[in-house]
Amino acid sequence: MARYIVGDLQGSLTPLLALLSEVEFNWGKDELWLVGDMVNRGKQSLACLEFIMRHDSAIQVVLGNHDLHLLAIINDVKKPGKHDTLDEILKHKNCKKMAKWLYQQPLVFHNKKQTQFMSHAGLPHIFSAEKAIELSNEVHQALINKPTRKEYFKNMYGNTPEKWDESLVGTDRLRMITNYFTRMRMIEDDGTLDLTHKKGINNEDTNSNNAQPWFKQERDKPFTSKWYFGHWAALEGHSGHDQFIATDAGYVWNGKLKMINPKTNQMWFCDSKLKITSSF
Ligand SMILES: [Mn+2]
């Protein structure tokens, strides 16, 4: 069995198929992890979702901010934006069925031995892996239960609270957890999120003085496993960190789709001409 982890598809299926064919992916044996943002911005959002659901038994995903955005639209609490490319899904006869499948997906996932983890945005330095699993499960429970789901989506958008407080309850608590695991890039020492930052890892263009990329903040308890994340295309698939591994190389922004084998650390990059390069 081989495991492969692939960065943000954002509605691009063709480069994924090229990468899987490059490694002769075996659907009966191998396992594919997707770090979220499977849909939106690209032209093949519907095809991506249909493909993933069809191969459900070999694919594990976590939800990204764009996947949650799609669900918020389906739940009638948001209208599609002008850059959204979700119409094919929204008009599809199986739209509800696709939503139902997405509600079941977690924000944080890990292998049995807890040596490999993934979430769309990463692991904030203020949480241990155990705490992250616990908190992501709170959102998961809200999503899988119909009465709490609507409330969740109604209150999902927003940049406040700015930082974690154990006493947070209800939709504020769920929004905060969602922002940490699906939208975080820059974070301050005390856990305050700077959600305005989208560029590279220099903090010059942030409003706050001590905001740093989340994976550069010092941890009370060192994290010794590996955590795979997407979401930050400006990193071009390189975090410069051994434990926290960036997988989004910005395919949809004229970059590349990145795939990594977590056991061998071999990486593959596929560009828009479907040219594949590989390195360790
Ligand atoms: Mn994202």
Side-chain angles (χ1 to χ4, degrees), residues 4-7 16 19-20 22-23 25 32 247 257-261 266-270:
Y4 299 93
I5 304 176
V6 173
L16 175 66
L19 286 170
L20 295 178
E22 174 75 16
V23 296
F25 189 88
L32 175 64
T247 63
L257 187 66
K258 178 179 174 178
M259 178 170 76
I260 184 161
N261 178 328
Q266 186 172 2
M267 297 179 280
W268 296 262
F269 292 88
C270 180

Side-chain angles (χ1 to χ4, degrees), residues 37 65 120 231:
D37 280 1
N65 52 311
H120 182 60
H231 186 59

Side-chain angles (χ1 to χ4, degrees), residues 8 10 37 64-66 120 182 185 230-232:
D8 309 29
Q10 299 230 250
D37 280 1
N65 52 311
H66 284 282
H120 182 60
T182 71
R185 289 187 186 95
H231 186 59
W232 203 341

